[in-house]
């Protein structure tokens, strides 16, 4: 590498040239050129190979990346399915509302970020400019409300339910309102107002938490989506919602929209057909309302109530009412805080709660069907004679019959018809003694509690509505548990008493203190009194109106307990798909047919000669025979609560109807008339007058609320034009149910 | 001293001759008889140039429509400029292809001088046009990128300088080999680098190396020069931060898809979208405001998107044809200037094409040089066309070609030129000759004549 060698090389070349061998020089350079050619060839080969790699094996990868950056996927929410009654009449439908919307990007591309445009819109709509400006800004961590929580590619609503004239003003002057348009947007509509509000439920915008929890549903929701929050809207949310469509927009690098690349139309949600009959529901609610008003007119403190109408043959819910109620349309367009607080407040009677399935009350004498069954299972003679004195002395205490009267020797039939408590006290006491009384056997039979559970009490019925209560069937085990949970507090109360109660009512305070003391001491023991109270549906027994209705439906239909269902099936929006839900059997009553028939006969006599005779006076029982049982739950410190549980027609049962009015008086007086009105409505009976027994003419049986006075066997169907036809309508003429 | 040196030289010559014979017998050479025809180089150059220029105009229109429309309201504004440039370049090409070789030798020095002046002006009055590189200068309302004609000037000047040295048999020492070539190159490189034009620098250095290679510089000198170039490039990249960003973004374009990797990434998106057959002409989506400068440095990506692998292979193939033809001219032409100039011009165009394509397909950092003949920009198109015209003139001066042309008689252009005293034959040979006589015409003799003339001048 020495310079000397280099010099030598160059020198040799010079020598070569001087020697006059130009051919050699040519060979040298030609070799250089050839080498360069080879080099170039290799480079080109490399380029070619790389190009092949980029454009063939890697093509899809980069193509997808490119697509992702060229397009913007939009979610097009599907039209939510309607909720229909069994005749196809809408309980919840969709209404389109003229809504003024703004396109975020078009506004942003205005020189002043759209301020001038929004000012003009504010003028036309007659709303403050600041409000519009706030509504179009995107929600961020520090943005106050209002702001737009959805995608900037969705139209942002500026004003809902506007006058078509205003909409025209905007649409006709497009150049003055760039990016502003008026379009129809779907909102939930409740044609019957507050009817069945708790059952139907309501919608609310999806929350961030729900959004994150439903990872797999992410594609289904966009920021504007609403989710069913309660009732049927909640339970059948996924069916009603349908499948959101997507619209792929071609966008520029600045976010401007060039056009629609691809569109998958949204699949509208299925219509939910319920077993509810809108007319019967209306009748039930009106009857319940009237019953509550009557009770209040008599000075009772009641302000709530529940009524349930079940189809005894399927367990379907035909009507279910709960008072107080509310209009679910308050949820539309974002509920404000004041209304929301009002809905949840006790002052308003918690109208969101359905007392039919969430309210738990002592069932009173309506529970005797279970107690009688338990006694017969325990060996009591169905045809035997039992003594019904005014009072019995059991377990160191005297137990009074209701209102103290006695009936002498009675059959079980009569014990039900006249609702003789003392007979059932004895049953309760006897079963308690059998299980060992105060020192129970290792494995007590608990026949009373076990039979009650067989009637479906003490656990949720499994209805397709949320938040159902289970009721309570107390037994030894429950009592032990309850005592363990509450002993500490009771013992403290036993020591300190109830000073806050003592100020107003020292006697009651002393009673409470004594009770607390007893409970603290041996509250875990299932005492005779517990068993005796249990037998007549008092004490710690709690049932929901729905549970009771189901139990009576089971008595009526021959012993089958169904899971109550509100939903009967689904119809696709175009009518091509029909899904029908089958009734679900939950169990069988734990009694033999003889006992069941005996019970049925006894219940049939109650409205005719028993405790509900007055309430059903004048009702054409020769046409529609009613079977039922009154119930009056007494509680220390409050008014009696009224029950009437029934089914009809007694000879061929179709409906089970239960009414419950807390603190409204006795069952025969406060609840039975409500049930009577419901039956009158169902069967179209008019002109019958309760009480007095007067002959103001024979009651007329007119048009029943449901065709044939029975729930339709078929589902309604969707006509080709999308309207819904009632199940009986076979032609395409006739009035649309929609 | 003469005795020990002569023997190995003779041996080497013998080996070379044997190898040449083997090559001559190899099927690759025998395969197309067409390739051995005397005017093959000329036609390949003419065909390749025509096809690439046409494709370039088409693609400039296709890729610039969107940006042109948004900026000027007419979809054709940029295309019109390009057509104008081609309208200037085409006559230049035709005239250059008919000029005698000595004209190019004469043009070398003034062209070099003009380039330096332009580059100096650019340094002081240039405009960066928001690109991060000061490369443009406005002259009489026309924006010129001075570094583009500088490449042609350097190729001509360098070829002339080295040819002179060779003819004068002065290539015996390093000093004679590198002076004034290295300083000339250095001046250009420095001026271009002040304008932060790394791509042009690279091409200039490639031309420099090609000249050295073809003139037969010893391997060690050659290696030293390559080392110098690489270390220079390293320093350049290390000094300017935006170059470093470009280099790093080329290594991983997806790391920062919004900034420095944006262009590279969208180039890859375009190629990927094109696939094998492409989305069809005009169907590119990347030109809709995604890929920056789709009509200039990244036009190859749009070709890839609209014509797919088929289109990109055609483009690479056409440059391959140009390269092959150019090097064929270099190896066949008889005088040193022709050989050097042909090699330099070919190297310039081919290297520039490869760097541009390599950039787009993600094997090289973004240097910002256009694809010759295809990319939009008159500053690039006109000198490239002129350079190709010179290359075609050189192709016609291949001894065999000259003979074949002589057999056809002078063309109209030749006659027109002869009226201006610029007759075709550089050697002063009669214009009409039989083919056989032309074949007999000796290359070395022509060189000697040329050398004599040069000395006289």
């Amino acid at each position: 590498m020495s310079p000397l060698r280099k010099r030598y090389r160059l020198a040799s070349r010079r020598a070569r040239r001087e020697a006059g061998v130009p051919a050699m020089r040519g060979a040298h350079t030609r070799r250089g050129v050839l080498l360069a050619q080879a080099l170039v060839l290799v480079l080109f080969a490399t380029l070619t190979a790389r190009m092949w790699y980029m454009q063939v094996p890697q093509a899809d990868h980069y193509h997808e990346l490119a697509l992702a950056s060229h397009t913007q996927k939009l979610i097009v929410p599907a039209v939510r399915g309607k909720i229909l009654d069994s005749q196809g009449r809408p309980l919840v439908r969709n209404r389109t509302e003229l809504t003024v919307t703004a396109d975020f990007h078009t506004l942003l591309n205005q020189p002043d970020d759209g301020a001038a445009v929004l000012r003009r819109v504010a003028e036309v709509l007659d709303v403050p400019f600041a409000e519009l400006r706030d509504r179009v800004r995107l929600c961020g961590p520090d943005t106050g409300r209002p702001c737009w929580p959805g995608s900037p590619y969705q139209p942002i609503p500026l004003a809902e339910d506007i006058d078509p004239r205003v909409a025209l003003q905007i649409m006709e002057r497009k150049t003055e309102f760039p990016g502003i348009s008026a379009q129809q947007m779907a909102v939930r509509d409740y044609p019957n107002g507050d009817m069945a509000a708790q059952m139907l439920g309501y919608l609310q915008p999806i929350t961030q938490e729900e959004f994150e929890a439903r990872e797999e549903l992410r594609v289904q929701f966009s920021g504007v989506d609403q989710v069913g929050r309660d009732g049927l809207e909640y339970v059948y949310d996924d069916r009603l919602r349908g499948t959101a469509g997507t619209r792929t927009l071609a966008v520029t690098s600045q976010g401007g929209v060039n056009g629609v690349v691809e569109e998958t139309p949204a699949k509208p949600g299925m219509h939910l057909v319920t077993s509810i009959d809108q007319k019967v529901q209306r009748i039930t609610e009106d009857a319940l309302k009237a019953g509550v008003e009557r009770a209040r007119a008599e000075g009772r403190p009641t302000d709530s109530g529940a009524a349930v109408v079940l189809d005894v043959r399927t367990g379907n819910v035909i009507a279910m009412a709960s008072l107080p109620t509310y209009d679910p349309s308050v949820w539309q367009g974002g509920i404000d805080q004041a209304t929301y607080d009002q809905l949840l407040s006790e002052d308003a009677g918690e109208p969101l709660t359905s007392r039919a399935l969430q309210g738990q009350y002592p069932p009173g004498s309506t529970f005797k069907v279970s107690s009688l069954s338990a006694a017969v299972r325990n060996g009591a003679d169905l045809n035997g004679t039992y003594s019904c004195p005014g009072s019995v002395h059991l377990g160191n205490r005297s137990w009074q019959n209701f209102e103290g009267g006695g009936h002498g020797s009675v059959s079980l039939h009569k014990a039900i018809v006249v609702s003789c408590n003392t007979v059932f006290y004895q049953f309760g006491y006897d079963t308690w003694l059998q299980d060992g009384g105060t020192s129970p056997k290792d494995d007590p039979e608990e026949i009373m509690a076990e039979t009650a559970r067989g009637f479906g009490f003490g656990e949720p019925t499994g209805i397709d509505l949320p938040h159902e209560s289970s009721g309570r069937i107390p037994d030894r085990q429950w009592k032990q548990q309850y005592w363990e949970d509450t002993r500490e507090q009771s013992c403290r109360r036993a020591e300190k008493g109830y000073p806050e109660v003592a100020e107003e009512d020292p006697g009651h305070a002393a009673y409470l203190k004594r009770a607390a003391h007893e409970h603290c001491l041996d509250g875990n023991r299932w005492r005779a009194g517990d068993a005796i109270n249990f037998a007549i549906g008092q004490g710690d027994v709690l049932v929901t109106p729905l549970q009771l209705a189901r139990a009576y439906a089971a008595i009526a239909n021959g012993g089958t307990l169904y899971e109550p269902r509100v939903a009967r099936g689904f119809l696709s929006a175009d009518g091509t798909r029909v899904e029908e839900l089958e009734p679900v059997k939950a169990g069988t009553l734990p009694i033999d047919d003889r006992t069941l028939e005996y019970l049925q006969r006894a219940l049939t006599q109650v409205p005719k000669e028993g405790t509900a005779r007055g309430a059903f006076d004048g009702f054409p029982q020769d046409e529609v025979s009613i079977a039922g049982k009154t119930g009056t739950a007494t509680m220390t410190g409050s008014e009696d609560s009224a029950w009437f549980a029934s089914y009809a027609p007694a000879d061929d049962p179709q409906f089970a109807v239960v009414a419950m009015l807390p603190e409204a008086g006795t069952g025969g007086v406060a609840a039975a008339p409500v049930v009577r009105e419901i039956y009158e409505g169902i069967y179209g009976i008019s002109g019958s007058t309760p009480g007095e027994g007067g002959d103001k003419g024979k009651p007329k049986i007119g048009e029943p609320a449901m065709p044939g006075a029975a729930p339709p066997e078929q589902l309604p169907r969707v006509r080709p034009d999308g309207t819904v036809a009632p199940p009986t309508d076979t032609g395409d003429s006739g009035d649309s149910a929609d | 001293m003469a005795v020990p040196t002569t023997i190995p030289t003779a041996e080497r010559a013998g080996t070379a001759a044997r190898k040449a014979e083997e090559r001559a017998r190899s099927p690759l050479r025998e395969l197309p008889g067409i390739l051995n025809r005397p005017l093959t180089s000329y036609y390949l150059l003419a065909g390749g140039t025509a096809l690439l220029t046409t494709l370039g105009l088409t693609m400039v229109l296709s890729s610039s429509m969107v940006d042109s429309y948004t900026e000027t309201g007419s979809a054709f504004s940029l295309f019109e400029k390009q057509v104008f440039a081609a309208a200037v370049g085409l006559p230049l090409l035709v005239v250059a292809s008919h000029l005698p070789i000595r004209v190019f030798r004469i043009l070398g020095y003034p062209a070099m001088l003009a380039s330096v002046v332009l580059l100096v002006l650019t340094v002081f009055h240039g405009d960066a046009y928001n690109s991060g590189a000061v490369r443009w200068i406005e002259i009489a309302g026309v924006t010129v990128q001075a570094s583009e004609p500088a490449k042609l000037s350097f190729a001509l000047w360098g070829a002339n300088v080295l040819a002179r040295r060779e003819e004068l048999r002065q290539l015996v020492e390093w000093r004679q080999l590198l002076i004034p070539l290295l300083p000339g190159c250095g001046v250009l490189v420095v001026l271009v680098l002040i304008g932060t034009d790394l791509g042009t620098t690279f091409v200039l250095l490639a031309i420099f190396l090609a000249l050295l290679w073809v003139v037969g510089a010893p391997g060690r000198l050659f290696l030293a020069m390559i080392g110098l170039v690489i270390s220079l490039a390293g320093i350049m990249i290390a000094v300017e931060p935006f170059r470093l960003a470009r280099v790093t973004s080329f290594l991983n374009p997806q790391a920062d898809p919004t900034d420095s990797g944006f262009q590279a990434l969208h180039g890859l998106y375009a190629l990927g979208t094109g696939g094998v057959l492409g989305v069809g002409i005009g169907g590119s989506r990347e030109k809709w405001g995604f890929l920056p400068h789709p009509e200039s440095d990244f036009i190859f990506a749009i070709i890839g998107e609209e014509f797919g692998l088929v289109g990109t292979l055609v483009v690479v193939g056409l440059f391959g044809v140009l390269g092959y033809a150019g090097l064929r001219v270099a190896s066949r032409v008889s005088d040193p200037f022709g050989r050097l100039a042909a090699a330099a011009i070919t190297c310039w165009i081919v290297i520039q094409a490869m760097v541009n394509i390599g950039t787009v397909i993600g094997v090289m950092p973004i240097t910002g040089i256009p694809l010759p003949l295809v990319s939009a920009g008159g500053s690039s198109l006109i000198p490239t066309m002129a350079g190709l015209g010179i290359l075609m003139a050189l192709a016609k001066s291949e001894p065999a070609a000259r003979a074949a042309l002589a057999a056809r008689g002078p063309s109209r252009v030749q006659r027109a030129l002869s009226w201006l005293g610029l007759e075709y034959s550089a050697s002063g040979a009669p214009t009409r000759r039989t083919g056989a006589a032309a074949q007999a015409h000796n290359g070395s003799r022509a060189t000697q004549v040329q050398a004599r003339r040069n000395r006289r001048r």
Side-chain angles (χ1 to χ4, degrees):
Chain A
M1 304 300 139
S2 67
L4 195 86
R5 266 196 81 180
K6 280 176 206 152
R7 188 171 286 273
Y8 162 80
R9 273 267 180 102
L10 279 171
S12 74
R13 195 164 291 160
R14 179 174 52 190
R16 192 179 72 219
R17 279 173 195 148
E18 277 163 356
V21 271
M24 282 179 185
R25 187 183 64 228
H28 167 76
T29 54
R30 187 161 294 132
R31 199 176 53 179
V33 168
L34 283 171
L35 231 146
Q37 272 178 333
L39 189 74
V40 168
L41 209 68
V42 168
L43 286 176
F44 272 116
T46 313
L47 283 189
T48 307
R50 171 75 181 178
M51 266 157 43
W52 177 83
Y53 175 71
M54 293 305 305
Q55 299 200 262
V56 181
Q58 289 278 294
D60 288 344
H61 170 66
Y62 283 108
H63 184 50
E64 271 170 33
L65 286 177
L67 275 185
S69 76
H70 295 165
T71 57
Q72 170 75 32
K73 243 190 188 155
L74 270 196
I75 290 177
V76 184
V79 176
R80 203 173 168 86
K82 294 181 214 168
I83 300 179
L84 308 168
D85 84 341
S86 59
Q87 298 289 338
R89 291 171 290 227
L91 299 172
V92 182
R93 62 187 173 192
N94 299 301
R95 173 165 52 93
T96 50
E97 222 170 47
L98 257 180
T99 306
V100 174
T101 61
D103 179 76
F104 182 75
H105 287 104
T106 317
L107 282 186
L108 208 66
N109 286 344
Q110 299 290 312
D112 53 355
D113 288 355
V117 179
L118 286 181
R119 236 177 260 282
R120 283 195 287 272
V121 176
E123 206 173 293
V124 171
L125 294 176
D126 197 22
V127 291
F129 161 71
E131 186 197 321
L132 295 188
R133 194 194 48 209
D134 287 353
R135 286 186 80 158
V136 294
R137 64 189 170 166
L138 301 181
C139 286
D142 304 320
T143 327
R145 310 268 155 171
C147 62
W148 176 240
S151 157
Y153 292 92
Q154 298 272 10
I156 303 175
L158 293 178
E160 290 89 2
D161 205 8
I162 55 155
D163 190 26
R165 232 162 15 88
V166 176
L168 276 178
Q169 268 183 304
I170 290 171
M171 297 310 282
E172 279 173 0
R173 293 187 284 160
K174 275 248 152 216
T175 46
E176 276 181 57
F177 297 104
I180 306 291
S181 64
Q183 50 186 282
Q184 303 280 357
M185 280 197 166
V187 290
R188 243 16 190 166
D189 183 42
Y190 303 92
N192 303 305
D194 61 4
M195 196 176 92
Q198 299 94 352
M199 212 180 346
L200 297 174
Y202 54 91
L203 300 178
Q204 280 292 275
I206 187 164
T207 65
Q208 191 61 33
E209 291 74 42
E210 283 172 312
F211 203 75
E212 277 156 18
R214 301 193 191 185
E215 184 69 37
E216 77 283 359
L217 292 176
R218 188 154 286 192
V219 288
Q220 293 283 335
F221 288 99
S222 65
V224 290
D225 266 339
Q226 301 220 306
V227 200
R229 233 347 145 256
D230 196 5
L232 294 169
E233 298 266 32
Y234 167 78
V235 173
Y236 295 105
D237 187 57
D238 52 341
R239 307 301 302 276
L240 287 165
R241 193 193 314 128
T243 313
T246 56
R247 186 178 295 147
T248 310
L249 297 176
V251 294
T252 65
S253 55
Q254 279 76 43
V257 175
N258 278 343
V260 178
V261 175
E262 197 181 19
E263 193 161 15
T264 316
K267 246 171 65 192
M270 302 278 273
H271 297 318
L272 169 63
V273 178
T274 64
S275 53
I276 305 291
D277 186 278
Q278 184 227 322
K279 285 186 186 169
V280 177
Q281 176 75 25
R282 171 66 68 212
I283 290 162
T284 306
E285 289 191 11
D286 289 349
L288 184 63
K289 217 172 282 173
V292 170
E293 275 161 20
R294 270 197 304 273
R296 288 186 74 85
E298 287 168 19
R300 311 278 181 181
T302 186
D303 57 356
S304 62
V308 178
V309 181
L310 293 184
D311 179 355
V312 302
R313 300 175 189 186
T314 56
N316 282 334
V317 179
I318 291 167
M320 193 153 72
S322 172
L323 278 180
T325 185
Y326 75 105
D327 188 344
S329 59
V330 298
W331 296 99
Q332 301 279 357
I335 190 166
D336 60 84
Q337 196 61 40
T339 316
Y340 187 67
D341 291 344
Q342 164 81 11
L343 280 183
L344 295 181
S345 69
E346 269 182 50
D347 290 347
E350 295 173 350
L352 292 182
T353 310
S354 174
R355 285 168 167 77
L357 58 131
Q358 286 166 272
Q360 308 182 92
Y361 311 93
S365 298
T366 56
F367 195 67
K368 283 177 184 161
V369 292
S370 168
S371 301
L372 185 142
S373 304
V376 173
R377 286 177 81 197
N378 202 34
D381 184 5
L382 208 52
N383 298 320
T385 317
Y386 300 86
S387 118
C388 175
S391 75
V392 285
H393 193 82
L394 296 167
N396 307 325
R397 217 199 105 173
S398 170
W399 298 84
Q400 308 294 316
N401 216 344
F402 188 72
E403 287 168 1
H407 295 273
S409 279
V410 294
S411 62
L412 285 179
H413 180 94
K414 182 121 194 238
I416 288 283
V417 173
V418 301
S419 200
C420 176
N421 282 354
T422 43
V423 170
F424 289 92
Y425 291 150
Q426 192 67 51
F427 285 152
Y429 186 69
D430 290 348
T431 55
W432 177 73
L433 277 182
Q434 264 178 28
D435 281 337
T438 44
S439 46
K441 296 192 285 190
D442 287 345
D443 185 18
E445 275 179 61
E446 304 269 22
I447 189 103
M448 280 284 181
E450 202 246 313
T451 306
R453 286 192 198 99
F455 272 77
F457 300 117
E459 59 181 22
T461 61
I463 191 176
D464 48 351
L465 289 172
H467 316 306
E468 194 193 353
S469 300
S470 61
R472 182 167 68 204
I473 293 303
D475 57 10
R476 287 181 171 82
Q477 197 191 331
W478 171 82
K479 187 119 200 221
Q480 177 72 28
Q481 187 65 44
Y482 183 73
W483 178 69
E484 280 168 20
D485 291 346
T486 59
R487 182 173 50 173
E488 227 169 280
Q489 201 192 346
S490 301
C491 292
R492 207 163 44 238
R493 283 295 191 181
E495 210 169 292
K496 292 179 180 165
Y498 290 77
E500 72 274 11
V501 182
E503 278 175 28
E504 287 175 18
D505 188 351
H508 186 52
Y511 166 77
L512 286 176
K513 187 178 177 184
R514 210 163 48 242
H517 180 70
E518 272 176 38
H519 186 71
C520 171
L521 221 60
D522 59 352
N524 58 331
R525 283 170 59 197
W526 183 251
R527 289 172 302 159
D530 293 322
I532 291 164
N533 268 328
F534 186 103
I536 58 157
Q538 297 264 88
D540 292 314
V541 182
L542 295 176
V543 302
T544 68
L546 181 66
Q547 282 174 334
L548 197 63
R550 178 171 76 148
Y552 274 73
I555 293 167
N557 69 21
T560 306
L561 277 173
Y562 286 99
E563 270 188 20
R565 279 278 174 279
V566 183
R568 276 203 62 196
F570 299 96
L571 306 174
S572 65
D574 55 1
T576 51
R577 272 193 308 136
V578 177
E579 283 175 39
E580 202 163 349
L581 299 175
E582 293 300 319
V584 180
K585 284 184 188 173
T588 315
L589 293 185
I591 50 174
D592 55 28
D593 289 350
R594 213 168 129 250
T595 316
L596 188 67
E597 280 160 25
Y598 192 91
L599 263 180
Q600 288 172 343
R601 277 197 301 276
L603 293 173
T604 307
Q605 290 311 307
V606 172
K608 295 173 181 70
E609 56 196 34
T611 49
R613 192 193 52 186
F616 282 89
D617 185 28
F619 189 90
Q621 296 227 40
D622 47 343
E623 302 279 348
V624 181
S625 176
I626 310 289
K629 179 80 196 76
T630 56
T632 308
T634 52
M635 277 180 78
T636 324
S638 66
E639 294 270 352
D640 293 345
S641 292
W643 285 94
F644 190 71
S646 70
Y647 63 87
D651 42 359
D652 182 21
Q654 180 68 63
F655 305 105
V657 180
V658 167
M660 198 281 153
L661 290 88
E663 301 190 61
T666 60
V669 173
V674 172
V675 174
R676 175 188 172 139
E677 277 175 40
I678 294 171
Y679 280 124
E680 283 175 350
I682 290 174
Y683 289 102
I685 296 165
S686 58
S688 80
T689 40
E692 314 305 309
D695 40 8
K696 296 177 182 172
K698 222 173 145 46
K700 289 194 288 289
I701 297 188
E703 185 79 11
M706 283 179 278
E713 279 175 26
Q714 304 292 316
L715 291 183
R717 53 189 188 82
V718 178
R719 294 199 191 93
D721 63 354
T723 57
V724 181
T728 47
D729 179 78
T730 45
D732 49 6
S733 63
D735 59 338
S736 165
D738 191 357
Chain B
M1 219 175 180
V3 178
T5 52
T6 319
I7 295 164
T9 315
E11 271 175 12
R12 231 192 293 170
T15 327
R18 271 201 303 281
K19 278 187 181 163
E21 272 176 19
E22 278 164 24
R23 263 199 301 279
R25 264 184 260 116
S26 76
L28 196 76
R29 277 296 171 98
E30 286 173 352
L31 227 168
I34 309 156
L35 286 183
N36 266 334
R37 290 188 185 164
L39 282 168
T40 299
S41 313
Y42 176 78
Y43 289 128
L44 285 179
L45 285 170
T49 307
L51 286 173
L52 279 172
T53 312
T54 314
L55 179 75
L57 285 173
T58 315
M59 290 318 295
V60 165
L61 175 60
S62 171
S63 58
S64 71
M65 282 174 105
V66 176
D67 286 349
S68 288
Y69 186 78
T70 46
E71 277 159 31
T72 67
S74 160
F76 301 100
S77 55
L78 220 147
F79 175 67
E80 279 163 7
K81 279 189 192 169
Q82 185 73 357
V83 168
F84 177 75
V88 173
L90 189 64
L92 264 178
L93 179 144
V94 173
V95 168
S97 69
H98 288 88
L99 284 174
I101 306 301
R102 63 185 154 85
V103 175
F104 307 133
R105 295 194 70 154
I106 296 162
L107 273 175
Y109 268 102
M112 184 71 176
L113 203 68
S115 293
V116 171
V117 169
L118 268 180
L119 282 171
V120 170
L121 279 175
T122 308
V123 169
F124 290 106
H125 297 286
D127 201 328
Y129 290 104
N130 302 325
S131 70
V134 184
R135 299 176 190 174
W136 292 271
I137 183 169
E138 212 172 285
I139 297 167
V142 182
T143 308
V144 177
Q145 195 175 354
S147 56
E148 292 296 329
K151 294 175 211 164
L152 177 61
S153 308
F154 179 65
L156 290 180
W157 174 78
N160 184 30
V161 164
L162 285 183
R164 194 106 154 256
R165 291 263 185 255
E166 188 170 334
E167 282 151 12
L168 296 174
R169 314 220 162 182
Q170 288 175 340
L171 290 175
V172 286
E173 283 190 57
W174 288 57
R175 195 171 51 81
Q176 287 149 331
L177 198 64
L178 294 180
I179 291 171
L181 191 67
L182 186 59
C185 179
V187 167
L188 286 183
V189 164
V190 166
L191 287 171
V192 165
L193 273 182
I194 290 172
T196 59
D197 190 343
L198 199 65
T200 306
T201 310
F202 185 74
V203 172
L204 284 172
L205 293 172
I207 296 171
F208 174 67
L209 290 178
L211 286 169
L212 286 184
W213 176 268
V214 174
V215 86
R220 210 162 291 138
L221 173 69
F222 198 73
L223 282 179
M225 285 300 122
I226 287 179
L228 188 72
V229 167
I230 288 172
S231 54
L232 201 70
I235 291 165
M236 287 299 109
I237 285 169
V239 165
E240 286 281 352
F242 89 99
R243 284 195 202 104
L244 201 67
R246 278 181 169 181
V247 170
T248 48
S249 77
F250 132 74
L251 291 172
N252 186 9
Q254 268 147 336
D256 182 12
T258 55
D259 195 25
S260 50
F262 186 83
Q263 200 175 20
L265 195 60
H266 277 273
L268 296 183
Y269 286 178
L271 291 174
T273 305
V276 176
L277 293 173
V279 298
I281 187 164
S284 162
R285 282 222 46 84
E286 282 293 338
K287 69 185 179 191
W288 287 85
F290 291 100
L291 180 64
H293 307 299
E295 74 285 345
S296 60
D297 296 352
F298 269 70
I299 197 165
F300 189 74
I302 302 297
I303 294 174
E305 188 178 7
E306 297 194 349
F307 296 114
L309 182 63
V310 175
T312 52
L313 283 182
V314 165
V315 172
V316 171
L318 286 173
F319 278 109
V321 165
L322 286 189
Y324 167 78
L327 290 177
R328 190 177 186 272
V329 172
S331 63
R332 289 196 173 204
V333 85
S334 47
D335 74 315
F337 171 76
R339 192 173 67 242
L340 285 162
I345 292 170
T346 309
C347 168
W348 154 37
I349 289 168
V350 170
I351 290 289
Q352 188 169 329
M354 285 203 296
V355 170
N356 177 280
I357 292 169
T359 300
V360 174
I361 64 178
V363 293
M364 285 177 127
I366 295 178
T367 47
I369 57 171
L371 188 61
L373 295 176
V374 181
S375 286
S379 304
S380 167
L381 182 64
I382 294 169
T384 309
M385 289 183 90
L388 282 161
I390 293 168
L391 206 51
M392 283 155 76
L394 293 170
K396 288 197 288 189
S397 77
E398 283 174 23
R402 205 157 50 195
L405 285 172
R408 289 187 191 173
S411 70
R412 276 186 202 129
V413 183
Q414 280 167 1
R415 265 177 269 154
L417 285 172
S418 69
W419 290 337
L420 298 169
L422 295 165
E423 69 272 26
Y424 163 69
S425 174
S427 61
T431 46
R432 278 176 193 277
R433 270 190 182 225
T434 62
Q439 296 283 4
H441 191 82
N442 191 307
S444 63
R445 191 177 128 71
T447 316
Q448 283 158 10
V449 173
Q450 189 91 47
R452 251 199 323 278
R453 283 184 177 213
N454 284 337
R455 261 197 302 280
R456 262 205 308 276
R457 211 173 47 204

